[in-house]
PDB file of all heavy atoms in Angstrom:
ATOM      1  N   THR A 525      15.515 -61.953  -8.375  1.00 98.00           N
ATOM      2  CA  THR A 525      14.595 -61.274  -9.287  1.00 98.00           C
ATOM      3  C   THR A 525      13.461 -60.633  -8.502  1.00 98.00           C
ATOM      4  O   THR A 525      12.773 -61.299  -7.729  1.00 98.00           O
ATOM      5  CB  THR A 525      14.018 -62.259 -10.315  1.00 98.00           C
ATOM      6  OG1 THR A 525      15.091 -62.815 -11.078  1.00 98.00           O
ATOM      7  CG2 THR A 525      13.055 -61.550 -11.257  1.00 98.00           C
ATOM      8  N   PHE A 526      13.289 -59.322  -8.700  1.00 98.00           N
ATOM      9  CA  PHE A 526      12.232 -58.558  -8.051  1.00 98.00           C
ATOM     10  C   PHE A 526      11.104 -58.295  -9.052  1.00 98.00           C
ATOM     11  O   PHE A 526      11.333 -58.290 -10.260  1.00 98.00           O
ATOM     12  CB  PHE A 526      12.787 -57.226  -7.546  1.00 98.00           C
ATOM     13  CG  PHE A 526      13.361 -57.285  -6.157  1.00 98.00           C
ATOM     14  CD1 PHE A 526      14.312 -58.232  -5.819  1.00 98.00           C
ATOM     15  CD2 PHE A 526      12.948 -56.391  -5.186  1.00 98.00           C
ATOM     16  CE1 PHE A 526      14.848 -58.290  -4.541  1.00 98.00           C
ATOM     17  CE2 PHE A 526      13.465 -56.424  -3.905  1.00 98.00           C
ATOM     18  CZ  PHE A 526      14.412 -57.379  -3.569  1.00 98.00           C
ATOM     19  N   PRO A 527       9.896 -58.050  -8.567  1.00 98.00           N
ATOM     20  CA  PRO A 527       8.786 -57.758  -9.478  1.00 98.00           C
ATOM     21  C   PRO A 527       9.035 -56.497 -10.306  1.00 98.00           C
ATOM     22  O   PRO A 527       9.777 -55.599  -9.900  1.00 98.00           O
ATOM     23  CB  PRO A 527       7.592 -57.556  -8.532  1.00 98.00           C
ATOM     24  CG  PRO A 527       7.976 -58.250  -7.268  1.00 98.00           C
ATOM     25  CD  PRO A 527       9.462 -58.091  -7.158  1.00 98.00           C
ATOM     26  N   SER A 528       8.419 -56.454 -11.483  1.00 98.00           N
ATOM     27  CA  SER A 528       8.376 -55.268 -12.324  1.00 98.00           C
ATOM     28  C   SER A 528       9.733 -54.981 -12.961  1.00 98.00           C
ATOM     29  O   SER A 528      10.500 -55.899 -13.245  1.00 98.00           O
ATOM     30  CB  SER A 528       7.840 -54.069 -11.528  1.00 98.00           C
ATOM     31  OG  SER A 528       7.500 -52.993 -12.370  1.00 98.00           O
ATOM     32  N   ASP A 529      10.028 -53.706 -13.131  1.00 97.00           N
ATOM     33  CA  ASP A 529      11.185 -53.314 -13.921  1.00 97.00           C
ATOM     34  C   ASP A 529      12.126 -52.438 -13.102  1.00 97.00           C
ATOM     35  O   ASP A 529      12.150 -52.534 -11.872  1.00 97.00           O
ATOM     36  CB  ASP A 529      10.719 -52.615 -15.191  1.00 97.00           C
ATOM     37  CG  ASP A 529       9.767 -51.442 -14.899  1.00 97.00           C
ATOM     38  OD1 ASP A 529       9.748 -50.951 -13.742  1.00 97.00           O
ATOM     39  OD2 ASP A 529       9.043 -51.016 -15.829  1.00 97.00           O
ATOM     40  N   HIS A 530      12.878 -51.576 -13.799  1.00 97.00           N
ATOM     41  CA  HIS A 530      13.894 -50.756 -13.133  1.00 97.00           C
ATOM     42  C   HIS A 530      13.291 -49.853 -12.064  1.00 97.00           C
ATOM     43  O   HIS A 530      13.936 -49.559 -11.059  1.00 97.00           O
ATOM     44  CB  HIS A 530      14.631 -49.921 -14.190  1.00 97.00           C
ATOM     45  CG  HIS A 530      15.863 -49.259 -13.701  1.00 97.00           C
ATOM     46  ND1 HIS A 530      16.971 -49.954 -13.253  1.00 97.00           N
ATOM     47  CD2 HIS A 530      16.186 -47.943 -13.597  1.00 97.00           C
ATOM     48  CE1 HIS A 530      17.918 -49.099 -12.892  1.00 97.00           C
ATOM     49  NE2 HIS A 530      17.467 -47.870 -13.084  1.00 97.00           N
ATOM     50  N   GLY A 531      12.063 -49.404 -12.269  1.00 97.00           N
ATOM     51  CA  GLY A 531      11.382 -48.560 -11.285  1.00 97.00           C
ATOM     52  C   GLY A 531      10.266 -49.287 -10.579  1.00 97.00           C
ATOM     53  O   GLY A 531       9.238 -48.691 -10.244  1.00 97.00           O
ATOM     54  N   GLY A 532      10.451 -50.558 -10.316  1.00 97.00           N
ATOM     55  CA  GLY A 532       9.376 -51.394  -9.784  1.00 97.00           C
ATOM     56  C   GLY A 532       8.832 -50.972  -8.440  1.00 97.00           C
ATOM     57  O   GLY A 532       7.688 -51.299  -8.092  1.00 97.00           O
ATOM     58  N   PHE A 533       9.602 -50.233  -7.652  1.00 98.00           N
ATOM     59  CA  PHE A 533       9.170 -49.812  -6.317  1.00 98.00           C
ATOM     60  C   PHE A 533       8.342 -48.524  -6.350  1.00 98.00           C
ATOM     61  O   PHE A 533       7.762 -48.131  -5.330  1.00 98.00           O
ATOM     62  CB  PHE A 533      10.385 -49.608  -5.409  1.00 98.00           C
ATOM     63  CG  PHE A 533      11.408 -48.653  -5.962  1.00 98.00           C
ATOM     64  CD1 PHE A 533      11.338 -47.302  -5.698  1.00 98.00           C
ATOM     65  CD2 PHE A 533      12.440 -49.123  -6.763  1.00 98.00           C
ATOM     66  CE1 PHE A 533      12.277 -46.428  -6.217  1.00 98.00           C
ATOM     67  CE2 PHE A 533      13.398 -48.267  -7.284  1.00 98.00           C
ATOM     68  CZ  PHE A 533      13.314 -46.915  -7.007  1.00 98.00           C
ATOM     69  N   LEU A 534       8.275 -47.869  -7.502  1.00 98.00           N
ATOM     70  CA  LEU A 534       7.592 -46.576  -7.577  1.00 98.00           C
ATOM     71  C   LEU A 534       6.080 -46.738  -7.519  1.00 98.00           C
ATOM     72  O   LEU A 534       5.509 -47.639  -8.138  1.00 98.00           O
ATOM     73  CB  LEU A 534       7.979 -45.857  -8.866  1.00 98.00           C
ATOM     74  CG  LEU A 534       9.430 -45.390  -8.944  1.00 98.00           C
ATOM     75  CD1 LEU A 534       9.777 -44.986 -10.373  1.00 98.00           C
ATOM     76  CD2 LEU A 534       9.684 -44.232  -7.989  1.00 98.00           C
ATOM     77  N   GLY A 535       5.451 -45.837  -6.786  1.00 97.00           N
ATOM     78  CA  GLY A 535       3.998 -45.860  -6.643  1.00 97.00           C
ATOM     79  C   GLY A 535       3.359 -44.587  -7.149  1.00 97.00           C
ATOM     80  O   GLY A 535       2.443 -44.052  -6.522  1.00 97.00           O
ATOM     81  N   GLY A 536       3.836 -44.087  -8.274  1.00 95.00           N
ATOM     82  CA  GLY A 536       3.316 -42.850  -8.840  1.00 95.00           C
ATOM     83  C   GLY A 536       4.296 -41.696  -8.745  1.00 95.00           C
ATOM     84  O   GLY A 536       4.050 -40.636  -9.339  1.00 95.00           O
ATOM     85  N   GLU A 537       5.381 -41.866  -8.006  1.00 96.00           N
ATOM     86  CA  GLU A 537       6.393 -40.827  -7.933  1.00 96.00           C
ATOM     87  C   GLU A 537       6.963 -40.568  -9.331  1.00 96.00           C
ATOM     88  O   GLU A 537       7.220 -41.493 -10.097  1.00 96.00           O
ATOM     89  CB  GLU A 537       7.530 -41.233  -6.986  1.00 96.00           C
ATOM     90  CG  GLU A 537       7.102 -41.367  -5.529  1.00 96.00           C
ATOM     91  CD  GLU A 537       6.607 -42.754  -5.139  1.00 96.00           C
ATOM     92  OE1 GLU A 537       6.347 -43.580  -6.065  1.00 96.00           O
ATOM     93  OE2 GLU A 537       6.497 -43.032  -3.946  1.00 96.00           O
ATOM     94  N   TYR A 538       7.138 -39.303  -9.654  1.00 91.00           N
ATOM     95  CA  TYR A 538       7.671 -38.888 -10.956  1.00 91.00           C
ATOM     96  C   TYR A 538       6.828 -39.427 -12.106  1.00 91.00           C
ATOM     97  O   TYR A 538       7.326 -39.631 -13.218  1.00 91.00           O
ATOM     98  CB  TYR A 538       9.131 -39.324 -11.113  1.00 91.00           C
ATOM     99  CG  TYR A 538      10.024 -38.880  -9.975  1.00 91.00           C
ATOM    100  CD1 TYR A 538      10.582 -39.811  -9.101  1.00 91.00           C
ATOM    101  CD2 TYR A 538      10.293 -37.532  -9.757  1.00 91.00           C
ATOM    102  CE1 TYR A 538      11.389 -39.420  -8.053  1.00 91.00           C
ATOM    103  CE2 TYR A 538      11.106 -37.126  -8.710  1.00 91.00           C
ATOM    104  CZ  TYR A 538      11.642 -38.069  -7.851  1.00 91.00           C
ATOM    105  OH  TYR A 538      12.438 -37.667  -6.807  1.00 91.00           O
ATOM    106  N   GLY A 539       5.548 -39.697 -11.850  1.00 91.00           N
ATOM    107  CA  GLY A 539       4.649 -40.173 -12.887  1.00 91.00           C
ATOM    108  C   GLY A 539       4.859 -41.614 -13.299  1.00 91.00           C
ATOM    109  O   GLY A 539       4.344 -42.037 -14.337  1.00 91.00           O
ATOM    110  N   GLN A 540       5.565 -42.392 -12.486  1.00 94.00           N
ATOM    111  CA  GLN A 540       5.850 -43.781 -12.821  1.00 94.00           C
ATOM    112  C   GLN A 540       5.267 -44.698 -11.745  1.00 94.00           C
ATOM    113  O   GLN A 540       5.360 -44.404 -10.550  1.00 94.00           O
ATOM    114  CB  GLN A 540       7.356 -44.026 -12.917  1.00 94.00           C
ATOM    115  CG  GLN A 540       8.054 -43.171 -13.954  1.00 94.00           C
ATOM    116  CD  GLN A 540       9.547 -43.425 -13.976  1.00 94.00           C
ATOM    117  OE1 GLN A 540      10.006 -44.551 -14.106  1.00 94.00           O
ATOM    118  NE2 GLN A 540      10.326 -42.351 -13.850  1.00 94.00           N
ATOM    119  N   THR A 541       4.702 -45.810 -12.182  1.00 96.00           N
ATOM    120  CA  THR A 541       4.143 -46.780 -11.247  1.00 96.00           C
ATOM    121  C   THR A 541       4.589 -48.176 -11.638  1.00 96.00           C
ATOM    122  O   THR A 541       4.373 -48.614 -12.774  1.00 96.00           O
ATOM    123  CB  THR A 541       2.602 -46.727 -11.239  1.00 96.00           C
ATOM    124  OG1 THR A 541       2.190 -45.400 -10.889  1.00 96.00           O
ATOM    125  CG2 THR A 541       2.039 -47.706 -10.221  1.00 96.00           C
ATOM    126  N   GLY A 542       5.239 -48.855 -10.700  1.00 97.00           N
ATOM    127  CA  GLY A 542       5.647 -50.238 -10.905  1.00 97.00           C
ATOM    128  C   GLY A 542       4.681 -51.182 -10.217  1.00 97.00           C
ATOM    129  O   GLY A 542       3.469 -51.080 -10.394  1.00 97.00           O
ATOM    130  N   GLN A 543       5.236 -52.058  -9.400  1.00 98.00           N
ATOM    131  CA  GLN A 543       4.429 -52.962  -8.581  1.00 98.00           C
ATOM    132  C   GLN A 543       4.916 -52.835  -7.135  1.00 98.00           C
ATOM    133  O   GLN A 543       5.536 -53.740  -6.583  1.00 98.00           O
ATOM    134  CB  GLN A 543       4.563 -54.407  -9.071  1.00 98.00           C
ATOM    135  CG  GLN A 543       4.086 -54.630 -10.488  1.00 98.00           C
ATOM    136  CD  GLN A 543       4.334 -56.053 -10.961  1.00 98.00           C
ATOM    137  OE1 GLN A 543       4.392 -56.993 -10.173  1.00 98.00           O
ATOM    138  NE2 GLN A 543       4.477 -56.226 -12.265  1.00 98.00           N
TER     139      GLN A 543
END
Side-chain angles (χ1 to χ4, degrees):
T525 300
F526 272 52
S528 193
D529 54 19
H530 192 63
F533 55 90
L534 292 167
E537 295 89 347
Y538 307 113
Q540 301 178 54
T541 302
Q543 298 176 27

